[in-house]
Structures are given as structure tokens and as C-alpha cells.
Amino acid sequence: MRSLDLFSGIGGFSLGLAQAGIETVAACEIDPGRRAQYARHFPDARLYDDVRTLTGARVIADVGPVDLV
């Protein structure tokens, strides 16, 4: 199962998902400091900076389909 984490902060929710066997393939966080911390914790996840401009088509084009948002 693959997830997209919105309003991700530093990745607490993604950490829990990882422990349940769910891969977070993309995340969106507007705060640059939190985004940098998220990138350190999840270096393979695609990061977006503004949920207001993020579209499903963009996510699918970048990382493929996701099962959980």
C-alpha cells in the first residue's frame, strides 16, 4: 500500500504508517524547516510545498497512484 501524506509536519503520521507496512511515496508540507526534517526522515518520498497547488494528476505523474491520502 502507498500513501500521500498531506500537512505532513515532520512525518509522525508517515512513521506510524511505515511501522504498519505502508510506504509513504509523497508528502506535502508548506513549512520549509519541517519539510527539511521530513526529507531527512523519508529521503525517498517526493515532497511538495503547497497543498493549494497540488493536484492528483501531478502526484500520479511524479510517483504513480497512491492508495491512501
Side-chain angles (χ1 to χ4, degrees):
M1 196 173 230
R2 297 160 39 95
S3 74
L4 163 64
D5 187 0
L6 300 179
F7 311 100
S8 59
I10 62 169
F13 191 71
S14 290
L15 179 61
L17 289 175
Q19 292 174 350
I22 299 170
E23 175 189 17
T24 299
V25 295
C28 188
E29 172 57 51
I30 200 165
D31 182 272
R34 291 179 182 161
R35 206 168 44 250
Q37 185 69 28
Y38 191 99
R40 284 191 288 277
H41 290 151
F42 300 94
D44 296 330
R46 174 70 185 243
L47 287 175
Y48 301 99
D49 63 357
D50 193 342
V51 72
R52 296 171 293 182
T53 61
L54 186 59
T55 65
R58 183 174 171 199
V59 172
I60 291 170
D62 291 343
V63 299
V66 296
D67 304 299
L68 178 67
V69 177

